[in-house]
């Protein structure tokens, strides 16, 4: 379901049924016909989908569907959340968005100079609660989640960018409270397009580059 296409062509299907148009509504209940939307599914609730769009009226914009993509409604975001365009796909997307596995409604976003954000959907308020997990001045280029070293611990976070004035690759085992510098200080592999932790091997990270191929690393 979804893609970076106008909302009037946003479609869904519960196979083997035929495809049908999704409806997309703004916060006031008005139907939108021209909207760039990137759709990601929740990793726990099979009925829940998130649509990331261009900014509207000077605010970032996220839509939520609780009916398997049949309808999407724009929901509220924290007042402090930066005004960013979240609609891009793949290499044209300056930010990285990860929906967390094992926890419904939790989304991590690396927003460059705006840092690393964690959003959590609250159906009671039809909106997101959010927290910035890096300090002012930190620059988060990409974000990935991976299997923790200890069972029931939070997912490991991996990022590339600048943390506390140092550039490189970093790992956090406490949801961004502290970061460990994990590169050798010599190799940064040029243009970093994506970063992702392994869901089965604790500490392993994969790095997708624009010119240097696909790399992976394990804890030393």
């Amino acid at each position: 379901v979804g893609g970076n296409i106008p909302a009037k062509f946003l479609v869904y299907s519960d196979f083997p049924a035929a495809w049908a148009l999704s409806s997309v509504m703004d916060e006031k209940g008005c139907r939108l016909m021209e909207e760039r939307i990137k759709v990601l599914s929740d990793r726990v609730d099979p009925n829940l989908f998130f649509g990331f769009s261009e900014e509207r009226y000077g605010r970032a914009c996220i839509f939520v569907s609780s009916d398997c993509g049949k309808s999407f409604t724009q929901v509220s975001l924290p007042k402090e959340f930066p005004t960013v365009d979240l609609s891009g796909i793949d290499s044209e997307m300056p930010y990285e968005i990860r929906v967390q596995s094992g926890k419904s409604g939790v989304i991590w976003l690396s927003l460059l100079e705006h840092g690393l954000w964690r959003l959590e959907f609250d159906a009671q308020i039809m909106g997101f609660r959010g927290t910035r997990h890096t300090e002012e001045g930190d620059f988060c280029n990409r974000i990935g989640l991976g299997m923790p070293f200890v069972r029931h611990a939070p997912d490991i976070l991996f990022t590339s960018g600048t943390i506390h004035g140092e550039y490189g690759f970093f790992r956090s085992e406490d949801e961004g409270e502290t970061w460990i510098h994990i590169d050798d200080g010599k190799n940064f592999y040029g243009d970093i397009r994506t970063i992702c932790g392994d869901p089965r091997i604790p500490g392993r990270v994969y790095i997708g580059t624009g010119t240097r191929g696909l790399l992976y690393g394990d804890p030393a």
Side-chain angles (χ1 to χ4, degrees):
V1 62
N4 192 11
I5 51 180
K8 64 181 179 182
F9 297 122
L10 188 61
V11 296
Y12 71 92
S13 176
D14 51 351
F15 289 112
W19 292 89
L21 291 174
S22 302
S23 66
V24 181
M25 316 292 284
D26 66 14
E27 289 180 302
K28 298 179 180 179
C30 298
R31 185 161 186 164
L32 304 176
M33 297 303 295
E34 295 287 343
E35 198 79 13
R36 282 164 51 96
I37 296 177
K38 172 180 179 175
V39 176
L40 297 175
S41 64
D42 191 75
R43 298 299 186 257
V44 176
D45 185 345
N47 297 312
L48 191 60
F49 288 82
F50 307 105
F52 302 89
S53 186
E54 300 171 291
E55 58 188 81
R56 292 176 55 80
Y57 308 116
R59 296 282 295 163
C61 180
I62 300 179
F63 298 89
V64 171
S65 171
S66 57
D67 56 7
C68 298
K70 296 181 178 66
S71 61
F72 286 84
T73 302
Q74 184 181 351
V75 298
S76 63
L77 291 167
K79 290 188 294 184
E80 303 82 7
F81 193 77
T83 301
V84 289
D85 179 351
L86 299 174
S87 65
I89 285 183
D90 300 330
S91 60
E92 71 177 40
M93 177 63 164
Y95 314 115
E96 188 144 61
I97 304 171
R98 298 288 185 186
V99 182
Q100 186 168 344
S101 61
K103 290 184 178 180
S104 181
V106 176
I107 303 169
W108 291 87
L109 307 95
S110 59
L111 300 178
L112 304 182
E113 70 273 16
H114 303 294
L116 176 66
W117 279 78
R118 180 184 186 273
L119 296 179
E120 185 166 3
F121 178 63
D122 186 339
Q124 298 297 319
I125 64 170
M126 276 303 291
F128 285 94
R129 305 184 189 279
T131 308
R132 180 171 175 163
H133 283 252
T134 50
E135 298 177 2
E136 289 290 336
D138 290 341
F139 187 99
C140 289
N141 182 35
R142 299 296 174 190
I143 182 63
L145 287 77
M147 183 177 182
F149 293 107
V150 180
R151 189 177 182 183
H152 302 309
D155 284 355
I156 293 177
L157 302 179
F158 295 96
T159 192
S160 63
T162 302
I163 302 292
H164 303 317
E166 295 185 34
Y167 176 79
F169 300 98
F170 299 86
R171 181 182 77 221
S172 176
E173 299 169 37
D174 54 12
E175 297 191 321
E177 291 295 321
T178 58
W179 294 93
I180 301 169
H181 209 151
I182 60 174
D183 60 78
D184 61 7
K186 299 177 182 179
N187 299 286
F188 302 109
Y189 309 109
D191 180 21
I192 307 303
R193 298 296 182 90
T194 187
I195 188 167
C196 184
D198 195 290
R200 297 181 179 85
I201 303 175
R204 175 170 288 185
V205 61
Y206 300 93
I207 300 168
T209 75
T211 57
R212 304 288 290 276
L214 178 64
L215 312 166
Y216 81 92
D218 288 318

